[in-house]
Amino acid sequence: MPSPAIADHIGEFAAGTGPADIPAEVVERARHLALDSVGVALAAGREEFTARARRALARLGTGDQPVIGLPDRLAPREAAMLNAVLVHGLDFDDTHTGAVTHVSTTALPTALAAAIQHRRSEADLLTAYILGVEISARVGKVARGGFHDAGFHPTGVAGAFGSAVAAAKLAGLSAPEITAAQQVVGSMASGILEFLEEGAWTKRLHPGWAANAALTATAFAAEDWPGPPAVYEGRYGLYATHLQHRDWNAEELLSDLGTRWELLETAVKPYPSCHFTHAFADAVLALRAEAGFGPADVERIRCLIHPTPGAVVCEPIDRKRRPQDDYDAKFSLPYIAAACVTRGRLTLDEFTDDALKDAETLRLAQLVDIDDDPESRFPQAYSAAVEISLRDGRKLFHRESVNRGHSERPLSHEDIREKFALNAGARGESVRPLVLALGENGDARAFAESLAA
């Protein structure tokens, strides 16, 4: 008799996991990850991409579900999509480092929508959110950066599976039905990296589409819709199709499931840009602070990076040296290195229209060269090495082997609360205690209503 497929193992695990099975350390970190997500969502409320997403989703109809920080009322799938756009749109949301996957931006909106839909408690919501993060992280991690290499955005791929588990759990489905939700969602998991060529906005939709797919797959699983049993490991399963012959390890996906929590490896971002650029920002800012140079003193900036993240934030190099909009800039290592020199920081203000037109920053971006980094720890960490040549003949060098926010250098809970306060603005004082007590109070709808406008 063949051994159970991966989806069966995950279905059994999710069905059998309740609040009491999750360590207090994991619960506390999950609440802070949720707090970070809510803060970023509140900061995104007035952005142009949010306005367009609201109008687009309103075309699909209305409903009764609330949206973070906004007055909109939408059906479950559209509410999940809009919440995911809010969490992910500024590229300031958390990332599981090894999976190269934004985990909360799919798991939290999906869990909110499904918990409201099925009249669940806050405790149910928190449990499902944790399961969504955990499975998304594991599905992405075993690819070892291979999804990126093949041109897929892991958040749209791995996030669909984790979110399907969360949605099915909240729908009250059995272990075989949670398995089925994964089997069905496998045909919907996608998200291509072509947005990098032009700074297109499609990446902002990937987490929301994963949430949409998860809710859809759960509905079909509840009606006993057959899916392929070997959705992960089969001849045409997830890894065969999306990794295109790159290595992966099924045992690693399931190893210590329920005793070792990948959620604790999730990194909170210190900067509102692609995670691959963060260590470079820290390196440039450290050299600037130590040596006291200014933009006029710089002759050349050399950045060493692993080829896989390098393809994301350094190619095509001519375009990366002159980004066309804020999203283009968030994925431009030359622009970010230059902005850190000219402005001495990297905040949301460095991605405004005025900042993107700054002549000195654009001039310096032309002086940024890219080389491979043989000492990079990618994908275990997003390493950086920076050499700055000054006009007076000095050569300055700084290496960041492990990016700040990584589990080896995590942002503390206090750091996350400070980031939330800056992002949430006036809403922060009322919202923060509610999120940090997630799971202790009443029903999930009341919690979601407290986050709405």
Side-chain angles (χ1 to χ4, degrees), residues 98-441:
V100 203
T101 299
H102 299 275
V103 285
S104 287
T105 189
T106 55
L108 185 61
T110 302
L112 278 171
I116 295 169
Q117 181 182 10
H118 299 291
R119 298 184 175 89
R120 299 300 179 186
S121 69
E122 275 193 22
D124 295 329
L125 165 61
L126 178 60
T127 299
Y129 164 56
I130 290 171
L131 289 173
V133 169
E134 187 67 20
I135 300 307
S136 296
R138 286 172 172 268
V139 171
K141 183 178 180 180
V142 300
R144 300 172 181 169
F147 287 138
H148 266 99
D149 280 343
F152 289 103
H153 183 205
T155 301
V157 176
F161 286 92
S163 294
V165 170
K169 176 76 171 177
L170 287 163
L173 301 192
S174 65
E177 290 169 323
I178 298 174
T179 296
Q182 298 168 77
Q183 294 168 350
V184 174
V185 88
S187 290
M188 308 172 188
S190 187
I192 59 174
L193 294 178
E194 184 62 19
F195 76 91
L196 291 167
E197 295 301 306
E198 303 293 339
W201 287 12
T202 46
K203 178 176 179 286
R204 288 181 164 126
L205 295 178
H206 294 168
W209 192 253
N212 184 309
L215 295 166
T216 302
T218 293
F220 278 86
E223 295 298 332
D224 197 26
W225 194 272
V231 65
Y232 293 102
E233 68 270 40
R235 181 164 59 109
Y236 297 117
L238 170 67
Y239 293 108
T241 55
H242 287 62
L243 291 185
Q244 300 167 14
H245 308 296
R246 293 168 178 84
D247 290 337
W248 68 285
N249 187 334
E251 292 182 2
E252 186 179 351
L253 199 162
L254 299 172
S255 176
D256 300 325
L257 188 61
T259 59
R260 177 181 53 78
W261 292 86
E262 290 291 341
L263 180 145
L264 297 174
E265 304 295 313
T266 301
V268 174
K269 284 187 171 185
Y271 299 123
S273 63
C274 176
H275 224 131
F276 297 155
T277 67
H278 289 190
F280 289 93
D282 276 342
V284 172
L285 292 172
L287 289 174
R288 186 180 187 274
E290 292 167 8
F293 60 84
D297 302 316
V298 175
E299 184 173 81
R300 212 73 198 171
I301 301 174
R302 180 169 169 254
C303 296
L304 282 66
I305 187 170
H306 186 281
T308 296
V312 174
V313 296
C314 305
E315 298 175 12
I317 188 61
D318 290 341
R319 184 179 182 89
K320 294 298 186 183
R321 286 174 173 151
R322 187 173 289 276
Q324 300 302 300
D325 59 23
D326 66 321
Y327 217 55
D328 214 7
K330 288 172 183 285
F331 290 83
S332 167
L333 178 51
Y335 173 82
I336 286 168
C340 288
V341 172
T342 58
R343 299 169 72 93
R345 63 186 187 183
L346 189 63
T347 69
L348 289 170
D349 288 341
E350 277 58 71
F351 299 98
T352 63
D353 289 343
D354 287 343
L356 293 173
K357 296 173 185 175
D358 182 73
E360 190 72 334
T361 300
L362 294 176
R363 182 188 69 81
L364 277 182
Q366 303 302 309
L367 305 181
V368 176
D369 296 322
I370 307 298
D371 281 320
D372 290 348
D373 182 4
E375 297 181 37
S376 174
R377 288 184 55 189
F378 182 84
Q380 288 76 29
Y382 306 153
S383 307
V386 175
E387 180 185 84
I388 298 181
S389 300
L390 300 180
R391 295 186 183 279
D392 63 9
R394 285 183 292 166
K395 285 188 181 294
L396 311 175
F397 183 82
H398 187 94
R399 174 174 290 278
E400 294 276 331
S401 294
V402 177
N403 52 294
R404 193 157 50 95
H406 187 282
S407 59
E408 294 179 22
R409 297 180 61 195
L411 297 193
S412 68
H413 289 166
E414 182 179 354
D415 293 332
I416 295 171
R417 292 193 292 269
E418 290 177 0
K419 176 185 170 183
F420 169 81
L422 291 172
N423 282 327
R427 292 292 308 279
E429 285 299 314
S430 61
V431 168
R432 186 179 77 173
L434 299 175
V435 181
L436 292 182
L438 179 59
E440 296 179 355
N441 299 308

